[in-house]
Amino acid sequence: MDLFSEQQPEIVPLATGASWLPGFALPVMDELWSSLKQHFAVHPPQHMVTPGGYLMSVKTTSMGDFGWVSSTKGYDYSAINPANQLPWPSLPRVITQLAQTAARAAGYAAFIPDSCLVNIYEPGSKMGLHQDKDEKDFSQPIVSVSLGIPAMFLFGGAKRTDKTIKIQLQHGDVVVWGGASRRYYHGVAQVKSGVHPLTGEKRINLTLRKAR
Ligand code: MD3
Ligand code: FE
């Protein structure tokens, strides 16, 4: 894997502790997509139920020691996929290495993810403004990787009412969210229809986390 062994990546600061690395994952997209397709065959993405009793428009699945799960009982991390009672598979090396290389480039040298949440967006899917607060250690960043058709990502501040900025996340983009930005509200606007040569009519987002 040649994750920028020579060239310096482009790093765009977005907020305190948040860095956008446009195209950072492009060298590994084929490898990433083939490992995701194998994963989907055993742990198919599902519409989870929210604590409020609604179905999410996004489909999710997980990899790693812990996977993010939602039910009418609340949000949690679990070592077992509740849909098939199987343990989530370990993180593919390509994903761990990508996340660690990106975190290091953004200034987080000691990031060891134990969870990868995979979100699948079809045209019309969206994710409302929220904070990620189900993880134990907020000093650890979250690394996000986008594949497939683009989406408008909404990014606010520490309060729900803070002004939001929009950035279009493209195939191969990586964003590292640490420091103050780790607690910021964020969401994804309704995904417009489109086709990507690798993923078809889908956007896939990976979030690498230290959950426990
Ligand atoms: C900023 N996913 O899974 S990735 C999520 O595109 C989630 O699927 C979105 O929000 C997606 O929780 C956004 C970018 C992202 C992920 C986690 C963050 C931004 C973040 C955590 C804190 C601050
Ligand atoms: Fe989130």
Side-chain angles (χ1 to χ4, degrees):
M1 184 170 54
D2 58 338
L3 227 39
F4 305 94
S5 37
E6 283 118 82
Q7 224 197 311
Q8 285 297 109
E10 181 189 354
I11 303 180
V12 183
L14 287 182
T16 312
S19 298
W20 180 20
L21 286 67
F24 187 85
L26 286 174
V28 296
M29 293 314 262
D30 288 350
E31 197 182 340
L32 209 52
W33 183 233
S34 70
S35 72
L36 285 171
K37 280 188 295 187
Q38 289 181 44
H39 173 68
F40 294 163
V42 184
H43 297 271
Q46 312 246 345
H47 294 283
M48 294 251 190
V49 182
T50 67
Y54 294 97
L55 274 190
M56 292 177 68
S57 70
V58 170
K59 291 181 187 171
T60 65
T61 180
S62 283
M63 293 181 288
D65 295 338
F66 303 98
W68 183 84
V69 295
S70 178
S71 74
T72 51
K73 293 179 188 162
Y75 305 131
D76 200 1
Y77 280 97
S78 167
I80 303 291
N81 179 354
N84 59 15
Q85 299 302 318
L86 296 173
W88 302 109
S90 53
L91 287 173
R93 199 176 301 278
V94 59
I95 293 182
T96 309
Q97 215 179 104
L98 172 63
Q100 286 183 332
T101 314
R104 176 172 289 274
Y108 302 97
F111 181 51
I112 301 173
D114 60 10
S115 175
C116 177
L117 173 62
V118 185
N119 294 141
I120 290 87
Y121 295 77
E122 288 176 6
S125 302
K126 61 183 164 60
M127 190 177 285
L129 217 55
H130 67 278
Q131 290 173 302
D132 287 22
K133 41 183 191 188
D134 303 315
E135 300 75 27
K136 211 174 66 183
D137 181 0
F138 288 89
S139 75
Q140 290 290 324
I142 291 180
V143 175
S144 81
V145 183
S146 293
L147 295 84
I149 61 177
M152 232 10 131
F153 174 73
L154 311 172
F155 186 43
K159 298 193 299 276
R160 182 180 287 281
T161 51
D162 286 346
K163 185 178 110 53
T164 57
I165 61 162
K166 288 181 190 166
I167 56 169
Q168 176 158 265
L169 290 180
Q170 305 264 13
H171 183 71
D173 285 1
V174 176
V175 191
V176 182
W177 313 89
S181 77
R182 177 66 183 74
R183 295 168 185 278
Y184 286 4
Y185 278 88
H186 57 277
V188 177
Q190 199 164 69
V191 171
K192 298 212 162 76
S193 45
V195 183
H196 189 276
L198 199 61
T199 66
E201 292 180 309
K202 286 184 180 65
R203 168 179 190 255
I204 321 289
N205 182 268
L206 312 181
T207 46
L208 278 294
R209 300 148 186 268
K210 173 96 174 73
R212 290 294 181 251

